[in-house]
Amino acid sequence: MNAPPEDSGSDRNSSRGLGLGLGLGLGLGNSRRTEADSSGGLGLGTGLGLGSGLGLGLGSGLGLGLGLGLGSTFDPGKDAGAGGGIGTIRSYYATPYELRQIPWTLDFTPDNSGATPFPLAYLINPYQLAGDPLLWTTEDWDPALRFWSLPYDPHLTEWLRAADRTEPATLAALEFGGQPDKWHPDLIDPEAFRWLEKTDLDWMEGRPAVGAEPVGFAFIKAELEQLKIYMEDDRARYLFESDVQADGLPDYLIHFLGADSISHPWTLELINCGLSIGNVAYMVYKEHYKRVRPSVLRPGLTVPFGPPAHPAYPSGHSFLAHFIALLLLEIPGIYQRFGVLPDGQPADNGGILRKPEWRDLNGTNPIPSPLLNIAHRIAVNRERIGVHYPSDSTGSRHLAAGIWDALINRGLQNVPGRGGAQPQPIDAPTLMRVIDHAKTEWPTPW
């Protein structure tokens, strides 16, 4: 899963290269940097790709017909520093190569002996009657990401090692990261700020009395049952899409909008800002809550790849999808077509849509917005493959809305929470300049 992307990186690097295969020709690869440098391209068998600006890429592909295959490339130079441990090649952000996607036949019919294909009946209670809760530890983090378990560094020194310092998005992340007193969960109360709702954290409740079933586990069991249903009913159909979104989350939003680097370079840079700011925010929150992945508690979920080696809560993909969508919907030429349906207006009456408000993302009901609908789809796909709980997704939706509100609306849309707690405005001048530039790329007569 860093975004995003759960869970995405910060720099936007695109490269094109030629891949020489074992078949009869060559293919083009096109990569976008999100959580790790990944590229999808048309290749022939297994080949070697040279990407301008990204260095040497190792290609692998599934051969179809006369060697024609779908290739994916990785950049050892970049990925070693940002996506995984030193000297390793990662297929997804913070996912060891050994945990890459492998095929599991999603047939749930018992065999002739009556044995079930997947051991889905077995559950582990993270709140045992003796000992501390089962939480993510420093050793569980991917080696290249363990710096997130250290005391927070507002200068983001380690994070900058994998960032392109010439990008506006990097400066935007530094501006955000330098104000932890306004967003860091160790320094503010996300519930009092109404950035998180009670049901977002019901999984954390411990045992009410000795010998009684923990309230948190009852909540978790319901979530694990939902993931079992997703596995049985949805995973096979959504697996290819979920696989691409693991590293290519922004591409789905770009494709849905019809944006491109020629006509909308600042729009893509705005997406980059969302990735950078989001990566800092959700990683800090992951370290704060330390939630173990669903497959730790229900091994029968048999995730198709991963899960990524960082905590589950909040979901990076859900955070990034919702946060980036909210930033894009600051642009009139985008929100008029992809924004939120005005209250009481039928979806098919032909009226233009409006900018989102903080209240639109409260609760768990579907948001009447084309772009936020796609963000929801990306979030739920992470549940379909078993790497996130439903509350990871909804908590991220609420957290993304809260941070967006503090950045864009100065926190003024948020109703004061417990004890009159009110979020403080987060200053991000670079982000605001990028938004202003991006607005000019979407002219509108309305």
Side-chain angles (χ1 to χ4, degrees), residues 191 196-203 219 223 313 363-364 391 394-395 398:
E191 284 189 276
L196 293 175
E197 300 179 6
K198 181 181 183 301
T199 53
D200 297 335
L201 298 172
D202 276 350
W203 60 273
F219 183 85
E223 292 201 287
Y313 188 93
T364 59
S391 57
T394 56
H398 300 146

Side-chain angles (χ1 to χ4, degrees), residues 123-127 202-205 214-227 291-292 294 297-298 389-391:
L123 305 179
I124 305 297
N125 182 354
Y127 300 105
D202 276 350
W203 60 273
M204 291 184 65
E205 295 187 27
V215 174
F217 185 49
F219 183 85
I220 291 168
K221 283 200 293 186
E223 292 201 287
L224 292 174
E225 185 61 24
Q226 179 63 56
L227 299 189
R291 191 180 194 183
V292 296
L297 304 183
R298 190 169 211 165
Y389 308 85
S391 57

Side-chain angles (χ1 to χ4, degrees), residues 135-376:
L135 297 174
W136 203 267
T137 69
T138 300
E139 290 73 22
D140 294 325
W141 279 86
D142 181 278
L145 298 176
R146 286 179 185 164
F147 66 88
W148 290 113
S149 66
L150 299 172
Y152 179 71
D153 171 18
H155 302 294
L156 303 179
T157 306
E158 287 296 323
W159 181 84
L160 280 171
R161 291 189 177 194
D164 183 348
R165 302 188 186 211
T166 67
E167 293 282 347
T170 303
L171 182 56
L174 287 170
E175 292 168 351
F176 171 80
Q179 305 167 74
D181 57 310
K182 300 177 181 179
W183 61 268
H184 196 295
D186 290 344
L187 303 175
I188 60 110
D189 184 346
E191 284 189 276
F193 275 15
R194 293 167 59 90
W195 285 3
L196 293 175
E197 300 179 6
K198 181 181 183 301
T199 53
D200 297 335
L201 298 172
D202 276 350
W203 60 273
M204 291 184 65
E205 295 187 27
R207 53 187 179 276
V210 176
E213 183 178 74
V215 174
F217 185 49
F219 183 85
I220 291 168
K221 283 200 293 186
E223 292 201 287
L224 292 174
E225 185 61 24
Q226 179 63 56
L227 299 189
K228 173 179 177 288
I229 293 170
Y230 275 144
M231 179 182 180
E232 294 173 343
D233 294 349
D234 289 6
R235 186 181 295 181
R237 290 179 292 124
Y238 285 88
L239 182 55
F240 182 69
E241 178 181 326
S242 301
D243 176 64
V244 176
Q245 286 172 359
D247 285 335
L249 176 160
D251 293 333
Y252 277 77
L253 300 175
I254 293 167
H255 194 271
F256 188 68
L257 293 178
D260 64 78
S261 59
I262 298 174
S263 302
H264 308 97
W266 283 105
T267 303
L268 300 190
E269 190 57 44
L270 177 58
I271 291 173
N272 225 23
C273 288
L275 292 170
S276 299
I277 295 172
N279 180 246
V280 173
Y282 75 70
M283 278 299 188
V284 166
Y285 273 76
K286 281 176 179 288
E287 165 56 23
H288 179 79
Y289 288 105
K290 298 180 173 65
R291 191 180 194 183
V292 296
R293 296 278 178 171
S295 54
V296 173
L297 304 183
R298 190 169 211 165
L301 288 172
T302 319
V303 296
F305 49 84
H310 47 75
Y313 188 93
S315 164
H317 278 72
S318 177
F319 183 97
L320 290 173
H322 287 96
F323 185 62
I324 292 171
L326 289 168
L327 293 179
L328 291 168
L329 292 174
E330 290 298 307
I331 300 172
I334 292 180
Y335 74 67
Q336 289 169 354
R337 294 172 52 214
F338 300 95
V340 179
L341 187 70
D343 295 344
Q345 178 176 300
D348 60 354
N349 79 337
I352 62 173
L353 305 181
R354 63 169 173 82
K355 281 179 62 173
E357 299 176 5
W358 172 77
R359 63 181 176 88
D360 294 324
L361 285 89
N362 295 171
T364 59
N365 290 332
I367 305 168
S369 161
L371 190 58
L372 288 167
N373 180 274
I374 298 301
H376 173 78

Side-chain angles (χ1 to χ4, degrees), residues 192-193 415-424:
F193 275 15
V415 178
R418 187 172 62 242
Q422 183 76 24
Q424 297 299 307

Side-chain angles (χ1 to χ4, degrees), residues 38-91:
S38 64
S39 70
L42 196 59
L44 298 179
T46 301
L48 185 65
L50 293 175
S52 60
L54 289 184
L56 186 64
L58 299 177
S60 63
L62 175 65
L64 300 176
L66 295 175
L68 185 64
L70 298 175
S72 61
T73 73
F74 309 107
D75 179 352
K78 281 283 188 182
D79 286 354
I86 302 301
T88 63
I89 300 172
R90 301 304 176 98
S91 54

